[in-house]
Each structure stands twice: as structure tokens, then as C-alpha cells.
Amino acid sequence: MTALLRKFWFEPPVRAVLLLTALMLSVLAGGTAFLVYDMRQRELEYARSEISTLSRILSEQTARTLDGVTMALRGAQDRLSDGIGQQLQLDSFPVMALLKARAEGLPQFSSMFVLDANGVVMNSTLLGTRPGFSEADRDYFTTLAHRDEGIIVSQLYRRRFDGEWTFYLAARLVDGSGNFRGVVVAAIVVNYFESFYRRLDLRFGKQIQLINARGNLVASFPSDTDRVDQPVKGVPTFPERSADATGTTVVTETVDGENRFVAYHPVPRYPFLIGVVVGQDSALVSWPGTARPIVFGAGFVAVLLLAASCGVLWSMRRRELLARALEDSEERLRGMVESVMDAIVTIDEDLSVVLFNRAAEHMFGVQSGDALGKPFDRLLAGDSRSAYHAIVGRRRNSGEPHVRRGRAELTARHANGREFPADATFSSTEMRGQRFLTVVLRDLTERKRIETHLRETNRQLQELSTALQRVREEERAGIAREMHDELGQRLTAIKLELSWLGGRLPGERADLQDKVGVIKEQLNQTIASVRRITYELRPLILDDLGLRAAISWLTDDFSKRTGIELALDLDDDEPERGSTEATTLFRVLQESLTNVTKYARASTVWVSCRRDGGDWRLTVRDDGIGFVLDAANQAGFGLLGMRERIRLVQGTFAIHSTPGDGTAIDATVPAGQ
């Protein structure tokens, strides 16, 4: 945004329109958001209230269901505990008739049966008399066998004969003397509750859970058989069983990233909880349909309001722009001139200063008021005044009104007498029939100092690099010669002694002969490794036989190792043995062949080393895949090392490569370096 536009936006009338528009939009957005949020909260509260009511109704219904079973169970208990019932055998037909009479018309439990004092089933409405299996390990039997606990509600079990999930209500039986006689039991299959829940009209994704005192799932809708008798997460503290336990607990929990509400209500008189679950997304299923028209309506009103405000602002902006365009343009130009870091001086046709910015005041140590109207050449040293007048004379005599540019390095003078170099750029222009010359000056003192320092540092680094290169070659040559003369000779002597020893071993000791052969083979490999390492450090052939022999040995070894065909073109003349030129050319060739092996995928390599006037010229060319020449590809350590070696001997180094057309390396080293 330009300075003119910034000024426009902060004008009082514009700010008033913007503030009024923002206030109206804020009120509209806030009211809409509050209304939509309130509707959402009402939907959630309604969902919580609905599941709370449903959990209470289901709790009461479950209690009535269990009350029916309890009444039938107590009736059977009373009959079997009175004078007549105590005379009946538990596996008799009258007991069977009594159980069937009590179970008749009660679909909530699947069977009623009695156990004797040993826990054996003696009579069952489902299995008949004396089914013959024991229930002595069930919790309801073990509890009632020791004391009378009234009606016992058991934990969940799978029935022995059909594997159905079942829990039991049981009551204690005693004989005439008050001794434990057995237990009368009513079996309630979990499927009864699931079928009951299935008949309910549950909308918006509600779920029902029946949870026992252990916090485990008994029954659920939708049915989830795999989770039956498994702990239910988030169940509140289970209340003590009492007739007035009617409070409903509603909790919010997060499952798989989705919030949901769960209403837990205890079943009166029984150790169960009814949990009704509804997901937040399900609870809000109708909310978007109600909120969407409100939001769209508010958005339409906001668009109309913005359009009206924009129209008013556009009209105000047009008038403001036309009124302030010229004033802002002049202010911007003045600010730009004063804010630049370079000194700007403008002189008229009389060579007097008409503009002197802050940077010029700082550079020359002269205030603008003292410089205006006075000749500019008084701020220059004597040697630079003639150059200045020559430039100014050309500009004054050019007769061209258009901008003309020129550049010169002048020596300026500070008010304290200090002289300093300055880069001066001249440009002339004509305004309203009058010619002006603008001079832009930049102090070069620091740059000159840095350039001098960089040149000296670069010279020292070159000398250091040259010395390090020489020392490294000398050290490598010394190590190579020591390995060749000392280690190589000693290994050869060991091999000869071992051959002498092998020739004197008894002929019948074939095992010793084989061992000597193995040791000799290992010595041969060690000697070859010493020879290879010696040549990699510095081939002694370079110092003993010269560059031509070293190149021949290197290229032959390259062809044998890689299988790449190599064409060699060597001049009869060669640098002095062990000289810097020979070492440099050999190392460049060595690194070039290494790069061919790694990257080129070439089948043929051409190597040429010849005398070219006062230079030694080495050319290495291959028919490989080539590469695109750019700064990144030329910055590798291998190429950088070759380039640095050539630079240290004042030579030239060039790379020519095209993708698919191979690569050529051309290096020249001055002879006699």
C-alpha cells in the first residue's frame, strides 16, 4: 500500500465509515454466532435430557422385570420352605410342577431350577428332573451355602449346555431345623434384554448398555457379543443397592476422537446400571439444517453491508487521491532522496549546489545550509577537480535534455581535511528549460581497505596452499619410498626364506607343504598390496623414470582394473623428473581417471600429454554420459582439487561436457615452473 493510500485510510471520515461498518459486521457476526451456538447447546442439552429420561425409564422397566423374577423366586422359596415343601424331595415331580407354575407366564427368565446342599441340579423347568451336573462352583451357591443373603444376583456365566450368556437370581432353602437344604435359582438369559432393547424406537444413533456391579457389560443395543462380561470404560462409582438410588449421572467422554454423552441410572433394588449413549454428532444431526439458513442469511446481509461501505469508500478515495496526488509525489521524492545511504548532490548550470541530502552531510561533514548555493568542487581534492570539470563541461556542452550518465572515481575532502576515495555517478536532466546535474557518491574507503586485505589474505593462502601441497607430496614420496625399500624388501626376504624352508620339509609331510604354500600366497598378496599402496601414495616411477613412464603405468593399470579401452598419445619430451609440473600433471590425470571410473560409464578414454609452446598440455577425454555444466557440478572435491593444483602452478584448467556426448578435461602447466 502506497503512502497516499495509507494516509487515505487514516482520514477521520474514512475511519468513521470503517469503524461503523466493522461495528455492524461485528454485531451481525456476534449475534449470528450466539444464536447458532445457543441452538447447538439447546440441541445438546435436549439430547442429554432425552438420554437421561430414557435411562431412568429403562432402569424402572428393568427393575420391574427383575421384580417379577424375584416374586416368582420368593414364591418358590416360600413353598419349598413351609411344612409341606420341606417334606418333598427336591428331584420330585411336585417340585417340578411348582417350578413350572412359578415360571409360567414370565418370559424374562429362561428357566428355574433347584440345587441340593451339594450344588447338584435336582430339578429344572428347562432340563427336567435330575439333570445330573453340579453348580457348586457358582458364586450364588457358594454365598448362600454359608449364610442367608436374601436374593442373590450372580455374575455373568455361559450356560453349560448351550453357551448362552446368563446371570442368575437365587434364594436359600432350609429344612425344618434351619439347616441348609439347597438353593432355588432363576436363570435370566442376556438375549432377553437385547431383544427388548431392539424393539425400542431409538433414533439418532442411541445405544443402550446394561452394566452389572462389577462394571462389566451384560447386554447392549446394538448387540456386541464380543464385549459381554468385559469392563465398560468410564462407568461412575457403582451405588450401593437401595430403594431410593434414583439419581442419574450424565458424563461426557471421548471415544475414537468423537465426543459422546452417556447417562447412567442405577436399577432400583438391583446391582445394575442402565447406560444410554448418544454421540455428539448424532445429537446434532438436525442442528446444521436449522443453522444453515441463519448463517446464509447473515452472510447475505454482511455482503450487502460491505458492498455499500465499499461504494462510499471508493467515492471518498477518488476525491482524496485527486487532491493529494501532487503533494504526496513531491513528499515521496524528497523522502527517497533523504533516506538513501549514498550521498546525493544536485548542481545547476552555474555549478552551484541546489540539493544536499543527509548522507552527503555525513560524508563531507558539511551541513546542507552551508553547502547550498556554493560550488561543489570545493568539496573535492585538487587532483579530482580537473576530472570533475571535464565531466561537467561535457554535460553542459552536450545540449541534450535527456538523462546522460557517467561514472568516475574521485578523491573527496572531508571538512576536517581528510581525503577519501569516492565512486561518483553523474546524470544530467532538464526540467522546465533548466539543466541540472545529479552526482551520487559512495565512500570507497572501507571497500578499498577490504580489497587490500583480501588480496593480501589470498596471496598468503596461495603461498600456504603451495607449501602444503609440496610438503604433502614430499611426505607421500618419503612414505612410499620407505615402504618400497624397507617393507617390500623385508617381505621379499621372508618369501625367499619361506621357499628355502619349504624345500627342506619331509616329502611325507604334505600338510606342512600345503601350509607353506598358503603362507607364500598370502605373502604374495601382501607384497602386491604394499606395491599398490606405494604407487597410490606416490609412484616412485614418477621420480625414477619420469612422467611418460608414470602415465604409461597408470593408464595400463586403469585399463586392467576397469576394462575400459584407453588410447594414449605422449610427446617424446617430458618435464624434469620429480618436478612440480610432472607431479601436477600426474595428479590431474589420476583424479580424472578416478572420475571416469565413478561417473562416466565410458567405454573408451583418450589421454594426450604434449608440449605446446611454453606449456605442458594434458587432455583427458571420454565417450561417457557427460553432465550439465553448472556451479553445483563444478564444486565437487575432485574437480576443485584439480583446479586448485593447476592454479598453484599458474596454469589453466577447463572442463567441456555435454549430456550424452562425454567429458573432456584440458589442463595446461607452464614449463619451467
Side-chain angles (χ1 to χ4, degrees):
M1 184 182 292
T2 63
L4 186 60
L5 287 176
R6 286 198 297 270
K7 290 182 179 180
F8 167 75
W9 292 117
F10 286 99
E11 289 294 324
V14 176
R15 284 187 294 174
V17 173
L18 290 176
L19 288 175
L20 181 60
T21 303
L23 179 61
M24 296 175 67
L25 289 175
S26 299
V27 172
L28 180 62
T32 304
F34 176 77
L35 180 59
V36 172
Y37 177 77
D38 183 66
M39 293 174 58
R40 182 179 183 275
Q41 293 303 111
R42 288 176 181 272
E43 289 287 341
L44 294 178
E45 187 60 33
Y46 175 75
R48 285 193 286 264
S49 174
E50 188 176 23
I51 64 174
S52 178
T53 301
L54 182 58
S55 68
R56 186 171 61 254
I57 294 173
L58 291 174
S59 174
E60 294 172 355
Q61 180 62 36
T62 303
R64 285 195 293 270
T65 299
L66 296 177
D67 284 344
V69 178
T70 301
M71 290 178 62
L73 193 62
R74 287 196 181 278
Q77 181 190 30
D78 293 342
R79 284 298 183 185
L80 293 175
S81 298
D82 61 13
I84 299 175
Q86 292 177 2
Q87 302 300 320
L88 298 176
Q89 296 296 324
L90 294 181
D91 59 350
S92 64
F93 179 77
V95 174
M96 167 71 78
L98 173 63
L99 295 179
K100 286 189 175 182
R102 294 301 176 183
E104 190 72 26
L106 295 176
Q108 54 264 47
F109 61 89
S110 62
S111 67
M112 183 178 290
F113 57 92
V114 292
L115 309 176
D116 64 7
N118 295 319
V120 177
V121 178
M122 305 302 293
N123 224 321
S124 171
T125 60
L126 186 62
L127 301 176
T129 59
R130 298 190 66 83
F133 56 85
S134 175
E135 296 284 305
D137 58 339
R138 303 300 195 185
D139 61 341
Y140 58 85
F141 177 80
T142 58
T143 300
L144 293 176
H146 295 87
R147 59 185 180 276
D148 188 2
E149 293 287 339
I151 299 298
I152 293 294
V153 180
S154 76
Q155 65 185 51
L156 281 172
Y157 295 101
R158 284 189 179 272
R159 287 201 303 201
R160 299 182 188 276
F161 58 88
D162 62 2
E164 289 285 344
W165 283 107
T166 309
F167 66 92
Y168 303 92
L169 273 65
R172 179 185 174 96
L173 298 177
V174 296
D175 57 16
S177 301
N179 297 320
F180 177 64
R181 184 186 182 195
V183 178
V184 58
V185 186
I188 302 178
V189 180
V190 168
N191 284 340
Y192 169 79
F193 293 97
E194 294 183 348
S195 62
F196 171 71
Y197 299 153
R198 196 178 300 115
R199 292 193 296 270
L200 299 176
D201 183 16
L202 297 180
R203 295 173 297 169
F204 307 132
K206 295 185 182 67
Q207 303 174 31
I208 300 175
Q209 298 174 335
L210 177 61
I211 305 166
N212 62 18
R214 301 173 64 191
N216 293 351
L217 183 67
V218 177
S220 64
F221 178 79
S223 178
D224 190 352
T225 307
D226 294 337
R227 292 182 57 223
V228 174
D229 203 30
Q230 297 297 318
V232 179
K233 296 181 179 179
V235 176
T237 302
F238 205 91
E240 293 295 331
R241 180 169 54 174
S242 61
D244 58 351
T246 58
T248 302
T249 302
V250 180
V251 298
T252 303
E253 59 185 21
T254 302
V255 177
D256 297 332
E258 178 188 6
N259 291 334
R260 66 179 194 174
F261 308 112
V262 187
Y264 294 103
H265 194 92
V267 177
R269 302 176 297 281
Y270 297 96
F272 292 100
L273 279 178
I274 292 293
V276 181
V277 184
V278 64
Q280 180 173 288
D281 293 341
S282 298
L284 295 175
V285 67
S286 62
W287 171 71
T290 306
R292 193 175 295 113
I294 298 175
V295 175
F296 285 165
F300 181 72
V301 174
V303 170
L304 293 179
L305 182 60
L306 285 173
S309 299
C310 289
V312 174
L313 291 175
W314 175 257
S315 177
M316 296 173 63
R317 174 180 172 275
R318 292 277 298 177
R319 290 195 299 269
E320 189 68 19
L321 289 176
L322 292 175
R324 296 191 178 185
L326 182 59
E327 178 184 352
D328 287 351
S329 177
E330 293 177 353
E331 183 66 24
R332 183 170 59 253
L333 177 60
R334 183 163 51 251
M336 291 172 58
V337 172
E338 294 295 336
S339 64
V340 295
M341 301 298 295
D342 294 333
I344 298 178
V345 181
T346 300
I347 58 178
D348 58 14
E349 292 182 338
D350 297 327
L351 304 184
S352 298
V353 177
V354 296
L355 187 146
F356 203 78
N357 70 344
R358 291 193 185 96
E361 293 178 353
H362 177 73
M363 178 180 289
F364 293 100
V366 178
Q367 295 297 317
S368 176
D370 298 333
L372 294 177
K374 297 178 181 179
F376 175 67
D377 60 356
R378 72 187 186 92
L379 301 176
L380 302 176
D383 296 339
S384 297
R385 291 181 181 178
S386 57
Y388 162 72
H389 283 291
I391 295 174
V392 171
R394 287 199 301 270
R395 298 295 180 270
R396 293 179 63 187
N397 298 327
S398 63
E400 296 183 12
H402 301 292
V403 175
R404 305 287 294 175
R405 297 184 181 276
R407 190 169 186 172
E409 185 174 325
L410 304 176
T411 301
R413 177 180 296 164
H414 195 271
N416 60 12
R418 176 179 61 86
E419 296 182 355
F420 58 91
D423 180 44
T425 302
F426 297 86
S427 60
S428 63
T429 186
E430 184 174 303
M431 296 179 60
R432 300 175 184 176
Q434 188 175 3
R435 179 78 49 88
F436 294 93
L437 181 68
T438 299
V439 186
V440 180
L441 300 105
R442 179 173 296 176
D443 190 347
L444 300 179
T445 303
E446 184 64 18
R447 191 173 78 180
K448 293 286 187 181
R449 185 188 67 79
I450 293 174
E451 288 177 353
T452 302
H453 177 70
L454 287 176
R455 282 195 296 270
E456 178 63 21
T457 302
N458 190 46
R459 183 189 63 78
Q460 295 175 358
L461 289 175
Q462 289 181 2
E463 292 178 355
L464 177 61
S465 179
T466 302
L468 291 175
Q469 197 77 279
R470 183 174 60 257
V471 169
R472 186 175 67 174
E473 289 294 340
E474 291 175 356
E475 289 180 349
R476 295 177 69 171
I479 294 172
R481 191 166 296 280
E482 288 293 331
M483 292 183 64
H484 181 271
D485 294 345
E486 294 292 332
L487 185 58
Q489 291 179 9
R490 291 183 183 276
L491 289 173
T492 303
I494 293 172
K495 180 180 177 183
L496 293 174
E497 294 294 336
L498 187 62
S499 298
W500 178 87
L501 179 62
R504 286 162 176 75
L505 290 175
E508 64 273 8
R509 294 301 303 272
D511 56 336
L512 295 180
Q513 294 286 351
D514 294 341
K515 180 60 70 175
V516 169
V518 170
I519 296 174
K520 289 175 66 177
E521 179 62 27
Q522 292 178 349
L523 277 173
N524 289 334
Q525 294 177 1
T526 304
I527 292 171
S529 297
V530 170
R531 185 179 296 112
R532 177 180 55 80
I533 295 172
T534 301
Y535 282 129
E536 288 180 355
L537 284 171
R538 180 178 177 89
L540 300 180
I541 192 174
L542 184 64
D543 298 327
D544 298 337
L545 300 179
L547 180 62
R548 296 180 73 252
I551 291 177
S552 298
W553 165 80
L554 180 62
T555 53
D556 289 343
D557 181 69
F558 170 80
S559 295
K560 291 177 182 177
R561 285 188 296 104
T562 62
I564 298 175
E565 183 180 354
L566 194 144
L568 190 61
D569 180 18
L570 297 179
D571 202 348
D572 293 336
D573 196 5
E574 64 178 352
E576 182 181 351
R577 297 177 184 178
S579 63
T580 303
E581 302 98 304
T583 301
T584 300
L585 292 171
F586 180 80
R587 292 301 186 194
V588 170
L589 174 59
Q590 192 177 40
E591 183 63 32
S592 299
L593 294 179
T594 300
N595 288 342
V596 170
T597 304
K598 290 181 178 179
Y599 311 113
R601 303 180 191 173
S603 59
T604 306
V605 178
W606 293 268
V607 176
S608 172
C609 183
R610 308 188 67 81
R611 181 72 175 261
D612 185 9
D615 298 328
W616 296 106
R617 179 179 296 277
L618 173 67
T619 302
V620 182
R621 182 170 57 87
D622 64 69
D623 60 353
I625 60 175
F627 59 92
V628 177
L629 285 172
D630 55 25
N633 287 329
Q634 297 191 49
F637 288 112
L639 296 178
L640 186 62
M642 289 190 286
R643 194 184 303 277
E644 184 64 16
R645 281 182 179 274
I646 296 299
R647 187 187 63 79
L648 291 177
V649 295
Q650 308 300 320
T652 62
F653 181 82
I655 305 173
H656 309 282
S657 184
T658 303
D661 197 25
T663 302
I665 292 178
D666 191 14
T668 62
V669 175
Q673 290 291 326

